[in-house]
Amino acid sequence: MAATNASGTTTVRYGGMHRQVLALEAVLANGQVIRTGTRAVKTSAGYDLTNLLIGSEGTLAVISELTLRLYPILDHVVAARVAFPTVQAACRAAAALISVGISVTRCELVDAATIAALRAIGSLELEQVPHLLIEFAGSQTSVADDIESMRDLVEAEGGRDVAFESDPTARARLWRARHNAAIALLALAPGSTAMTTDVAVPISELPAAIEAARVALDASGLRGGILGHVGDGSFHVMYLLAEGDSKSIAQAAALNDAVVADALARGGTCTGEHGIGFGKLGYLRREHPELVSLYSGIKSLFDPNGILNPGKLVPEPSAAAG
Amino acid sequence: MAATNASGTTTVRYGGMHRQVLALEAVLANGQVIRTGTRAVKTSAGYDLTNLLIGSEGTLAVISELTLRLYPILDHVVAARVAFPTVQAACRAAAALISVGISVTRCELVDAATIAALRAIGSLELEQVPHLLIEFAGSQTSVADDIESMRDLVEAEGGRDVAFESDPTARARLWRARHNAAIALLALAPGSTAMTTDVAVPISELPAAIEAARVALDASGLRGGILGHVGDGSFHVMYLLAEGDSKSIAQAAALNDAVVADALARGGTCTGEHGIGFGKLGYLRREHPELVSLYSGIKSLFDPNGILNPGKLVPEPSAAAG
């Protein structure tokens, strides 16, 4: 499972964990066990039920086994950290890295508000500006090569204070700015609850989308931060709600609306990673209005009695059919 | 569309063309136009209908537009050709290249019989042994690095006569051994018809699977050759049928049976790339017996009157339902 990594953050090089699933075993609503895919990397045999079940949020079957593609752990890993004057500059640099084909294995944005929160809990001492954390892996020379190209691209966007770590302990320390982000944001208002919305946009739209999210967060009256798996155009806005405060719940709903509406207007999606559940049913209908009846039909086919995670993902509880 | 390439052969690095489709437009059987996916690289919104329609062989909808992920054309491309003592040695070398993480953009096997056919039409002058054709792309230093690692791996499997080309014209000449293969095999028996079967197996099983296919081809009494996109474990067996010769048709059916049965026994699939159509319906049932009723259900949902490419992929014409 070298395609994933210790932090659970996105491995940009390989395009998302669902790409790594070759086959799966699942239990249908009627108790029947099925197997999709094979151990071959490639297949054209039958409809692609593997990808239909992945991301179905437990509404079609219970996945009981996954067969994953494996990758070697590459010889040489270097983590880099770069400070930027603005989130837009950081995102433009990330987009440039991807578009020239530099093979980064991770590329994460931590915004200025999150850096401030991390400083407040004493987790790190970085300048309170947006940072990119980037990881390179490969042979010694290819990594050196990628880093050289990266330097030019980030400097063109005003990137500075570039730090590199290759020792595993030092790399883990560098990544702490990302891993402790949620804890640090929560610590801003003890006793509050964190909510997160996630969206994804075309990479070319990312700088403007993150800037729009920043403006919406500032205007919302809520405290929070923006964290991005910017290498694949997806990012999260995390914000804090005081317990039992109905005003902050309304503010959070409005903020979520604004971030999702902006992502959809840019040709993006209402959820890059977290899924629809109950909370984004309305946005799913807005993103794919003509697909909703197909979703319902597929749900009825797999789960005619609606016993699997009912009400999630498929906008209306499916009428008994089959 | 740098993910594909002039020859249409597999771009191993990026894992198959279907991985490159971000979104699509399709026309349903009832005339309704739908759009799946978005321009974002990643989405978790709704069931994955994009991958359900890809590879559905026109049985669910008519795909009218694709939105593809683009990649930069990398600076430096080098094509390599290596001769091997046996197909097994060639496949072991290919599997080793992939498993150590060398990022080849193509890796194709041309077997000894095909080399002989190419020599017969005067297309090239290579020793009549299996060859691998491999392509590397990246920066000058990363490619040099990959080539250095490749040399050690192929030499360990008895690889020799290693030739490299970086000039585009010279690279095209080197790839001719792969591109002219079908023409050369057909020229062995003028007036005959070529049939091809394709399978894919786990990469670790590839050397034994190709050896088994070689034995089956030799035993069949048919002339033919083996060509492999060996970087992803898929390969093709091509064989010649004299027109109107019912004996050769029976021989071809038996050969196809043997190759597919071997692939399935190794945990592979009855078709890596070419699909099911009519010809592999029986093998699909053997590979995924418990999925056939789900395929029929999905077919009925999308195409209740069975007007889209009827009889293909779904074993039985679906009864009217909906």
Side-chain angles (χ1 to χ4, degrees), chain A residues 32-315:
Chain A
Q32 191 195 355
V33 176
I34 63 169
R35 284 196 158 271
T36 71
T38 71
R39 281 175 53 232
V41 172
K42 190 187 259 187
T43 178
S44 301
Y47 299 135
D48 182 353
L49 301 189
T50 306
N51 278 297
L52 187 66
L53 292 182
I54 295 169
S56 65
E57 305 183 12
T59 62
L60 299 181
V62 177
I63 295 172
S64 44
E65 188 182 299
L66 293 175
T67 302
L68 299 181
R69 187 170 186 165
L70 299 181
Y71 296 88
I73 294 172
L74 297 171
D75 286 344
H76 192 59
V77 179
V78 173
R81 187 184 61 219
V82 190
F84 287 90
T86 64
V87 278
Q88 286 189 290
C91 292
R92 280 196 304 267
L97 286 173
I98 306 303
S99 69
V100 302
I102 295 179
S103 84
V104 296
T105 48
R106 302 195 238 179
C107 181
E108 300 275 323
L109 170 76
V110 181
D111 77 344
T114 308
I115 297 287
L118 287 159
R119 288 166 56 115
I121 62 165
S123 179
L124 52 81
E125 285 303 324
L126 291 178
E127 192 189 349
Q128 195 177 319
V129 293
H131 283 73
L132 280 186
L133 305 179
I134 309 166
E135 198 167 83
F136 304 88
S139 66
Q140 193 105 20
T141 55
S142 72
V143 167
D145 224 50
D146 284 341
I147 286 175
E148 201 50 41
S149 310
M150 181 273 267
R151 273 186 186 282
D152 294 343
L153 291 170
V154 302
E155 279 165 17
E157 295 294 348
R160 53 194 156 73
D161 300 336
V162 187
F164 295 102
E165 299 292 355
S166 54
D167 169 73
T169 312
R171 277 194 278 128
R173 199 163 47 231
L174 186 148
W175 276 102
R176 216 179 282 159
R178 174 67 183 87
H179 300 162
N180 289 352
I183 295 163
L185 286 168
L186 266 171
L188 290 176
S192 63
T193 304
M195 282 190 70
T196 303
T197 189
D198 91 304
V199 293
V201 295
I203 291 168
S204 58
E205 295 285 336
L206 190 68
I210 293 213
E211 181 59 25
R214 182 73 254 167
V215 168
L217 180 55
D218 290 344
S220 73
L222 298 171
R223 303 187 79 161
I226 298 174
L227 298 162
H229 308 310
V230 288
D232 57 13
S234 88
F235 64 94
H236 306 322
V237 183
M238 187 175 162
Y239 36 91
L240 303 180
L241 282 76
E243 200 153 343
D245 174 0
S246 60
K247 183 169 159 245
S248 77
I249 293 173
Q251 289 169 311
L255 172 58
N256 189 17
D257 266 346
V259 171
V260 171
D262 185 72
L264 294 181
R266 295 180 195 283
T269 177
C270 66
T271 172
E273 301 178 334
H274 296 178
I276 298 297
F278 293 123
K280 286 190 167 172
L281 283 173
Y283 300 133
L284 178 62
R285 208 181 279 118
R286 205 190 300 176
E287 183 176 325
H288 294 300
E290 78 283 18
L291 300 184
V292 167
S293 66
L294 289 169
Y295 296 156
S296 293
I298 289 170
K299 170 71 174 171
S300 295
L301 174 69
F302 279 78
D303 180 22
N305 300 314
I307 62 173
L308 294 172
N309 218 3
K312 302 267 178 70
L313 193 147
V314 176

